Every structure is written in C-alpha cells, then in structure tokens.
Amino acid sequence: MLKKRIRHCWLLVWAVCLIPAITNNKIDAQPLVKEGIADLRDKTFDEKPVALDGNWFFAWNELLTPAQAQQANILAPFPALWNGAVINGKALQAKGCATYTCAILLPKNHPKLALNMPMLYSAYSVYINGQLAASNGVPATSAERYIPAWEPVTVVLPAQADTIRLLMQVANWSHTKGGCNSSITIQQKSVAFFERVRNITTDFFLCGCLFMGGLFFLAL
C-alpha cells in the first residue's frame, strides 16, 4: 500500500512537469523572420502562438537605442545561445551584451496581441516602436551596472499598429549561458495572459507537490 502511494506521488509530479512540454508543442516555430522582417499579414492569430524565429539584425557588445537601430546590420539566428557561436567571423562568449532588432508586419484590424518573452540570460529591455515596453533586470555594457533578473514577462503590442519595430537589449555578466535558447512568441493578448497565469500556477503547484513529497518522506 505504501509503495503504491509513493508511485502515485511520483506519477503526479512527472505529469505536472510534462505540462509545459505539451504546451510548447503547439507553437508554430517555423522560421518566420527573414533578414530582420517577420511578415505575419496572413496570420489569423488563433490560440496557437507564433514564434518569431529566424534571422534578426544584431550588434555585439553594444546596447543600441531605437535611434541607433540602423547600426545593428549583421544578421544572426534567434533564438540562439552566445556560447561558442560565430557571428560574422567573430566568436561570441557567454558574457557580454548585444542588441537585436526586427520588424513585424501585422494584418490590418488584427486582434489585440501580446509578446510572450522567454527567460533570456540574464537581463533585457524591450522597445516597441521607439518606446520602452518592458524590462527584466538592468542590461548594461559592464558588470558593475548590470542587474540580472529572471521573471516571466508579457508585452502588450499597440492595438492599431500594423508595423512593429522591435528592439531588444540583452546583457549577461553573471550566468554561464548568454543569449536566449527559447522563442519569443506572439498571440492574442487574452490567450497570452491566460497562458502566463497557467504557467505560474503550474510552477506553484509543482513546488507544492515537491514540498508535500518532502514532508511525506520526512515523516517516513
């Protein structure tokens, strides 16, 4: 009887762990960003998230402002880790900073949309059409002024805009990994916030399962 209860506890924990993986399988992850432009004018934006994967414009060891976005003129794959990557003949390191830019073309009269930001290593700021839209920590060109953070962020896009100019400053001076290994996705605003709440709830539920499992084995 005791062995059966222990087995049920582990099955429950594994089931909760698999929920994010099942959700990620629904993402449309075809490379859509080509030469810094994502043409999404034929997308209906149903519940399936659309990943902004492809070739973004890139500037290494520079945190450019929206007014300087033209200086990011090298194409680099996104998402990708910096560790060991070679961009334009230059080997990147895990620690450093960079700027990514791309343009997103949206259909007219599109629904309210939002970006699901992944956990980038380890601080970033997002500018949309020249305005700061979200930040996670404080990206900087040196370790002294840099502040890392690790929080889920959902960025609401302008409701009436059919062109989004996206600029992202990323910095890492503390983690063994740099850059990003998960997709930025775009989907309906209501669905994006629901997914965010569900992911946070899943994390708390999993932590609760682990805590209760620990108490159970401690009691044994």
Side-chain angles (χ1 to χ4, degrees):
M1 186 67 180
L2 180 59
K3 290 183 179 179
K4 183 180 292 186
R5 290 183 178 180
I6 294 174
R7 186 166 62 251
H8 288 167
C9 288
W10 280 114
L11 287 174
L12 178 61
V13 171
W14 277 110
V16 174
C17 290
L18 287 174
I19 290 176
I22 295 173
T23 302
N24 289 338
N25 287 336
K26 298 180 180 179
I27 296 176
D28 184 359
Q30 296 179 353
L32 296 176
V33 184
K34 300 177 181 179
E35 296 186 355
I37 299 176
D39 190 348
L40 308 183
R41 288 175 292 184
D42 61 343
K43 299 293 183 181
T44 58
F45 296 104
D46 51 11
E47 293 188 2
K48 180 188 294 185
V50 177
L52 298 177
D53 294 354
N55 291 322
W56 292 46
F57 284 112
F58 176 82
W60 177 242
N61 270 342
E62 294 183 89
L63 296 181
L64 304 177
T65 65
Q68 302 169 320
Q70 296 296 330
Q71 298 181 28
N73 52 15
I74 300 172
L75 290 174
F78 186 91
L81 292 178
W82 299 340
N83 303 53
V86 178
I87 306 296
N88 199 31
K90 180 182 294 186
L92 308 187
Q93 300 176 348
K95 294 183 179 180
C97 61
T99 302
Y100 292 90
T101 69
C102 79
I104 306 172
L105 307 181
L106 299 173
K108 293 183 178 180
N109 302 319
H110 59 77
K112 294 182 179 179
L113 300 172
L115 295 177
N116 297 309
M117 301 299 299
M119 302 295 190
L120 279 75
Y121 304 99
S122 290
Y124 64 87
S125 294
V126 178
Y127 292 83
I128 294 178
N129 293 345
Q131 302 295 321
L132 180 63
S135 60
N136 211 350
V138 179
T141 55
S142 64
E144 291 74 20
R145 295 181 291 114
Y146 150 86
I147 301 176
W150 196 265
E151 301 175 3
V153 174
T154 302
V155 182
V156 179
L157 297 180
Q160 304 300 325
D162 56 8
T163 301
I164 302 295
R165 301 195 179 278
L166 181 63
L167 182 142
M168 188 165 57
Q169 301 173 341
V170 185
N172 174 60
W173 299 101
S174 57
H175 203 277
T176 56
K177 295 179 181 179
C180 179
N181 61 355
S182 300
S183 301
I184 296 176
T185 60
I186 181 172
Q187 65 183 146
Q188 290 189 30
K189 175 184 172 183
S190 57
V191 180
F193 277 94
F194 174 79
E195 292 289 342
R196 178 183 175 183
V197 171
R198 186 172 67 175
N199 290 336
I200 294 174
T201 303
T202 301
D203 291 340
F204 275 109
F205 182 69
L206 178 58
C207 289
C209 289
L210 295 175
F211 179 74
M212 296 301 294
L215 291 179
F216 177 74
F217 286 107
L218 183 63
L220 289 178

